Amino acid sequence: MEASQKLIPGYANAKATRKYAESFLADGRAAEGHYSEFSRARMRLSSLGIGTFGGAATAEVDAAISAIVARGLTEGINVVDTSAHYRYGRSLAAVGAGVRTALEAGVPREAMFLISKGGFLTLRGGQPDDMDAWFQREIEAPGMGTKEDLAKGAHLLTPEYIHYQMELSRSLMGVETLDAFIIDQPEVHIHEIGKERTNWKLEPVFEMLERAVRDKKIRAYGISTFEGFREETDAAVFQSLTSIQGLAQRAAQTVTGDEFARDHFKLAMLPFNQVMLEGFTRFNTATGQGNVASPLQAAHQLEIYMMASHTMLKGHLAQQSVEVVEKELAGLANPAQRAMQFNRSTPGLGTSLVGMSTPEHLDDMLAVMREPMLDKKAYLGMFKKAEED
């Protein structure tokens, strides 16, 4: 971000997001059900969101992502997801440019829900020739972590480094306040140091994020997992939403000194699509309400907004659909549209993220936005038919 460029004030709120949603629903540009309810905040967030992971680290892709973000925000998609490490940090600035274009087109900042993530190393400028020297200079010397803090040589879970990535996100995106900041795949540490020590590292990170909420740098936080939420309860890498929320509650109490303080752990992400169904089908989470729930059910009970990553299964589901989905959603134009419609119709799933760096791919998202959701009976019918086949 240029030094002369001021950070954009504001953050998503109920009034602006509801007005935004109503404007698209009123004239049929979005079908009923396209906007999900964000827990107690009463915000309306689009059932599909723009992801910014893919694409080469080039100016051409920067421009493409900016154009996608700007057009999406002006045409009914008000959730944008990025990360401090995506495309060596370039996606942050590309999103920021798209946000400014949408603002100029009349979309209020308060109608946008902007997310960034941290954890994986941000290698600005690309992979260094000497990784050890880079780490010593960029991470150890400023006191943001040590080699012992690294997992898989690529993930750092310290309050200092996550704070740096949060601040980098705000700066390059050009916003005063992020609507959410998410710790990306903390479970990679479980493979190396176990769950107890990973949670021990996660709690002070949550404390830092609680202070960031207090300072209006972010509005909420959460975690994104690849394996954690989807595994069986007895798997070493399984992460319970209930226990993670408990860490957040303790962090809030520590920061405020108030034993009744409410935490700001409000979002979670997991991979979900026609092939990776565990978020809906695997009952692995005790919620403390006398039952064992699926991750999506547990999120609803715990008032955590659940989002899906990997909607396209790394592009595979943009090329072909599972047979029962292809039959049930035959009226849609292509597998990509069927993948998005399947996800957004899943009970309990708030927003499904779709990574894209080709502007034409947004056309499919906007086409699905105009489709009515599958009703619950039709959705569950696909599972029954799959079992019968």
Side-chain angles (χ1 to χ4, degrees):
M1 192 184 73
E2 298 296 328
S4 60
Q5 196 168 49
K6 291 184 178 179
L7 295 179
I8 300 162
Y11 45 81
N13 65 38
K15 182 179 179 181
T17 57
R18 296 184 90 80
K19 184 177 179 181
Y20 177 91
E22 287 160 9
S23 70
F24 288 95
L25 293 169
D27 60 11
R29 287 179 292 168
E32 193 62 44
H34 172 59
Y35 295 97
S36 302
E37 196 85 10
F38 187 89
S39 190
R40 290 189 182 187
R42 296 186 69 249
M43 291 188 291
R44 303 295 301 278
L45 305 187
S46 52
S47 63
L48 297 168
I50 294 168
T52 59
F53 174 77
T58 64
E60 290 77 14
V61 175
D62 291 343
I65 288 175
S66 297
I68 289 167
V69 169
R71 184 182 169 208
L73 288 169
T74 55
E75 296 193 26
I77 305 296
N78 70 339
V79 178
V80 181
D81 172 83
T82 191
S83 176
H85 82 282
Y86 285 177
R87 302 174 54 254
Y88 304 115
R90 295 179 70 122
S91 287
L92 295 172
V95 167
V99 166
R100 287 189 291 278
T101 300
L103 283 169
E104 291 166 4
V107 181
R109 167 65 185 93
E110 293 77 13
M112 309 173 185
F113 196 88
L114 306 178
I115 304 166
S116 188
K117 299 192 288 294
F120 288 101
L121 295 177
T122 302
L123 304 174
R124 298 192 70 189
Q127 189 76 26
D129 294 330
D130 187 335
M131 188 66 185
D132 287 339
W134 177 91
F135 190 86
Q136 199 287 323
R137 181 180 69 252
E138 300 291 334
I139 307 298
E140 288 188 317
M144 292 193 291
T146 68
K147 282 288 183 68
E148 289 70 35
D149 292 315
L150 270 179
K152 293 189 176 180
H155 198 285
L156 199 57
L157 197 57
T158 67
E160 296 82 6
Y161 192 65
I162 299 298
H163 180 269
Y164 159 76
Q165 292 189 308
M166 178 190 73
E167 291 296 290
L168 184 69
S169 298
R170 293 174 60 238
S171 173
L172 293 182
M173 291 170 73
V175 296
E176 281 187 359
T177 306
L178 293 166
D179 296 294
F181 192 82
I182 290 175
I183 308 305
D184 197 4
Q185 297 182 46
E187 78 261 31
V188 299
H189 290 261
I190 296 175
H191 292 286
E192 299 189 8
I193 62 174
K195 191 180 301 184
E196 184 176 356
R197 287 183 63 197
T198 298
N199 286 346
W200 178 80
K201 291 172 75 72
L202 197 55
E203 190 170 340
V205 172
F206 283 179
E207 290 174 11
M208 183 277 292
L209 293 171
E210 287 288 346
R211 286 191 289 272
V213 173
R214 181 191 63 195
D215 297 339
K216 295 183 171 59
K217 294 180 177 181
I218 64 174
R219 292 288 288 166
Y221 63 93
I223 70 168
S224 173
T225 72
F226 185 76
E227 304 168 280
F229 294 148
R230 299 187 299 115
E231 293 289 345
E232 294 283 7
T233 306
D234 59 357
V237 77
F238 169 71
Q239 288 179 293
S240 163
L241 261 179
T242 312
S243 64
I244 296 294
Q245 188 181 61
L247 290 178
Q249 288 173 344
R250 204 155 64 219
Q253 291 162 3
T254 299
V255 168
T256 63
D258 178 0
E259 64 177 314
F260 301 107
R262 292 183 65 87
D263 63 83
H264 295 85
F265 180 88
K266 300 296 183 187
L267 299 93
M269 289 186 191
L270 84 173
F272 187 83
N273 54 55
Q274 301 157 56
V275 178
M276 304 169 81
L277 295 164
E278 297 90 347
F280 187 68
T281 61
R282 177 161 285 163
F283 290 75
N284 60 2
T285 308
T287 62
Q289 299 182 27
N291 70 325
V292 176
S294 70
L296 291 181
Q297 288 175 327
H300 177 73
Q301 292 174 20
L302 298 170
E303 297 183 336
I304 295 169
Y305 190 81
M306 186 65 87
M307 305 180 77
S309 61
H310 295 76
T311 299
M312 293 295 173
L313 191 62
K314 297 187 183 297
H316 296 296
L317 294 174
Q319 305 301 320
Q320 60 181 339
S321 305
V322 171
E323 185 178 0
V324 68
V325 173
E326 185 170 6
K327 289 179 180 177
E328 182 67 32
L329 302 178
L332 295 177
N334 55 47
Q337 292 188 18
R338 288 191 280 274
M340 287 186 265
Q341 177 69 336
F342 176 84
N343 264 35
R344 72 196 281 264
S345 298
T346 304
L349 192 53
T351 298
S352 290
L353 299 169
V354 183
M356 59 182 81
S357 56
T358 302
E360 292 76 16
H361 292 170
L362 184 60
D363 293 337
D364 283 323
M365 182 177 283
L366 298 175
V368 174
M369 181 179 108
R370 294 188 286 272
E371 291 287 325
M373 297 283 207
L374 283 176
D375 64 42
K376 191 173 182 180
K377 183 177 180 182
Y379 181 86
L380 295 176
M382 287 191 285
F383 289 81
K384 184 176 182 182
K385 289 174 185 175
E387 290 172 359
E388 291 171 350
D389 288 345

